[in-house]
Amino acid sequence: MADKSFVDSSEYYFDKASKIKGNKSSSHYHSLLEIYYMKKGSCNYFIDDKSYRVETGDLVFIPSGIIHKTNYDVDFHDRWLINCSGDFLPDSVKKAIKNLPHFFKKSNITAQCEKVMERISEEYQKNDEYSLDALKCLTGELIFLLVRNADQEEETVGSEFIGKAIKYIQENFSQEITLSQVAELLSVSAEHLSRTFKRETGFNFSEYLTLFRLQKAEYMLKNEPGRSVHAVAFACGFNDSNYFSYKYKKQYGVSPKKVKKLKKL
């Protein structure tokens, strides 16, 4: 990459990774949208409340703020990744992307998408005074391909009751939620729910519950200044504000109190 950077990697990031060994995984959500292309290999991809089996030639699209996790279960992968802000999207598709499927298993656009991503890779490495606008054009071209080929049913994998468990968490995160309680609602054993949840999402039940609550708390701290840290904690299902502060700082590297102070500046 050029010595002088014209493209801010916090706004636009492109990466090619290959030779990923073993059961490596990553989990997160972020303020950037994500486009993931499986050049070669396969993985399980959990997004929001569904699981997908991603194989060679498949493409994944994830809007900002969606919890997702990849789980690699074979020895070799070659994947390409784009993370970018909404500033890189054409105005005409900003509304349309809200209804885009997460998973594109369309061989008729695979070759076209790969060619565009190759050009994005070249431009990202070039990183000169023209690259910012060039990346906007190329990313727009890629998004247009997805929007114009979005008339498909997503191919999901996994158990229906896991999707119901996740929906329950998303709709009731402010209340007390336990594994045994959700298992009873779904008419399965707690052990079966725990094992299947981990296998299909990559998260432990409590791990996902905590991450979802922290995501909601992050939004409240940044967008609802009238709420105290204590009030945010309880609104997001944490019965102990000290424990909430501990988990929040561990997840984001900053305390909830500091987030509120920064928002006031």
Side-chain angles (χ1 to χ4, degrees), residues 233-248:
F234 279 78
C236 294
F238 293 93
N239 294 326
D240 184 334
S241 59
N242 290 326
Y243 176 74
F244 161 66
S245 295
Y246 164 75
K247 296 297 288 187
Y248 191 94

Side-chain angles (χ1 to χ4, degrees), residues 134-229:
L135 287 171
K136 287 181 179 180
C137 292
L138 291 168
T139 305
E141 184 178 346
L142 182 59
I143 294 294
F144 282 131
L145 273 171
L146 301 184
V147 170
R148 285 170 169 164
N149 291 274
D151 55 341
Q152 64 171 336
E153 290 191 14
E154 295 184 303
E155 297 183 18
T156 60
V157 296
S159 308
E160 184 180 355
F161 74 89
I162 295 299
K164 289 181 178 179
I166 293 166
K167 283 294 186 185
Y168 184 85
I169 290 173
Q170 294 176 349
E171 293 171 1
N172 299 277
F173 67 92
S174 63
Q175 309 301 316
E176 181 180 358
I177 297 176
T178 65
L179 175 69
S180 58
Q181 168 198 357
V182 177
E184 184 177 355
L185 286 171
L186 298 172
S187 301
V188 298
S189 71
E191 293 78 9
H192 183 52
L193 175 58
S194 178
R195 286 195 305 269
T196 310
F197 198 99
K198 175 66 174 179
R199 185 178 70 246
E200 295 187 4
T201 71
F203 292 99
N204 293 320
F205 181 89
S206 60
E207 180 187 8
Y208 177 82
L209 173 60
T210 299
L211 181 59
F212 189 82
R213 284 172 165 168
L214 289 173
Q215 181 186 38
K216 294 299 181 182
E218 181 190 31
Y219 178 85
M220 290 182 188
L221 289 168
K222 292 180 177 179
N223 296 280
E224 299 180 19
R227 287 183 189 259
S228 66
V229 171

